[in-house]
Amino acid sequence: CAEGYEPLHPWIRCTRQGSINVWDPDIACIRKCTKSIIWNLSIQLSPGKRYYGTGERVSVKCRDGYEASEASITCVRQDSARRSVWSPEPRCIEIKQKRVESSSDSLSLTLSCNKGDCESIWDAKATCQEASECVSSCEPAPSDALCRIEDQWRVQEATITCSSLQPFTQYHVTIRSKSTNHPVYSVMVTTNATEKCKK
C-alpha cells in the first residue's frame, strides 16, 4: 500500500470466477490513524509520528492548563469506512479551581469546567501526604467514605467535600474518571490547625 495506508486483509487469493481470474477478497488499502488537524497543538501523542497502524496504542498529553480525557488511545480499524480511527476520541479538558475552603477536619474544593467536557461521573480521593508533629500517623479514612462530589457539573461546576481528616495535615486531592480511572485534576490542600495542633 501507499504511504499512510495498510492492507485491509493480510493476504488475498487469486480465484476463478467464470472465465476470469479475480482476487478474493478484493484488494484494498485502509488509511492509518493520524493526528487530527482539529487537535491543532492542544493534543500531543507519544510516541510522535506521522502515521499509526491498527492496534497501536499511544499516550495522550495536553498543553499546560488542560487535562486529557484519556491517558491513552488506540488506533482501531473501521472496515465500513475503510480507514482507522482513534478509540476513544481524546479531548483536552480545561478545569479551573474557583474556591478552596478548609477546616481542621475537612476541606471543600469547587471546580469549573467547560460545558460537555466534564459531564462524566468522576471519583474524588484525598490522600494524606505530610502530617504535622502532633498527628501520630498519616493514615486517611477509607477512600470510599472520604470525599464526595456535590452538584456534579451542574452549571459546569462541582464541589468536592472531604471529611474526617486530620488537623494541620497536607492532603493530595485527586479526581479520576470512573470509566478509565484516569486522573483529570489534582491539587494539594492543607487542613487548618487546632489549639492543640499548631505549627
Side-chain angles (χ1 to χ4, degrees), residues 10 15 27 33 49 51-52 69 81 105 111 118 121 128 134 141 161 185-186 189 198:
T15 60
I27 299 175
C33 288
K49 55 184 182 178
Y51 302 108
Y52 300 86
S69 60
D105 63 354
L111 305 174
C118 296
I121 303 301
C128 180
C134 60
T161 303
Y185 188 83
S186 64
V189 181
K198 290 184 178 180

Side-chain angles (χ1 to χ4, degrees), residues 6-7 30-33 52-57 74-78 83-85:
E6 61 186 352
I30 191 168
R31 178 182 285 276
K32 293 182 176 182
C33 288
Y52 300 86
T54 302
E56 281 195 67
R57 190 177 184 87
T74 303
C75 181
V76 297
R77 181 166 290 178
Q78 196 175 60
R83 64 190 181 100
S84 293
V85 297

Side-chain angles (χ1 to χ4, degrees), residues 129-170:
Q129 295 293 301
E130 184 179 351
S132 61
E133 293 180 359
C134 60
V135 178
S136 58
S137 65
C138 196
E139 290 296 329
S143 60
D144 58 355
L146 196 58
C147 297
R148 67 181 186 275
I149 302 181
E150 302 169 349
D151 298 328
Q152 186 161 188
W153 310 124
R154 187 180 68 179
V155 199
Q156 288 77 63
E157 283 192 7
T159 300
I160 295 89
T161 303
C162 304
S163 55
S164 301
L165 306 181
Q166 299 172 149
F168 200 54
T169 301
Q170 189 178 64

Side-chain angles (χ1 to χ4, degrees), residues 48-142:
K49 55 184 182 178
R50 190 173 180 182
Y51 302 108
Y52 300 86
T54 302
E56 281 195 67
R57 190 177 184 87
V58 297
S59 300
V60 180
K61 185 178 180 181
C62 295
R63 64 184 179 183
D64 291 345
Y66 292 77
E67 293 291 339
S69 60
E70 312 293 336
S72 61
I73 55 177
T74 303
C75 181
V76 297
R77 181 166 290 178
Q78 196 175 60
D79 290 347
S80 59
R82 295 209 167 183
R83 64 190 181 100
S84 293
V85 297
W86 292 112
S87 179
E89 181 72 20
R91 303 189 318 277
C92 286
I93 302 170
E94 184 181 20
I95 301 176
K96 295 181 179 179
Q97 180 179 301
K98 299 194 71 175
R99 291 182 297 277
V100 178
E101 299 175 353
S102 64
S103 66
S104 60
D105 63 354
S106 68
L107 61 87
S108 177
L109 175 68
T110 301
L111 305 174
S112 67
C113 187
N114 293 336
K115 184 177 181 180
D117 280 343
C118 296
E119 295 177 355
S120 60
I121 303 301
W122 290 357
D123 270 332
K125 179 180 179 180
T127 304
C128 180
Q129 295 293 301
E130 184 179 351
S132 61
E133 293 180 359
C134 60
V135 178
S136 58
S137 65
C138 196
E139 290 296 329

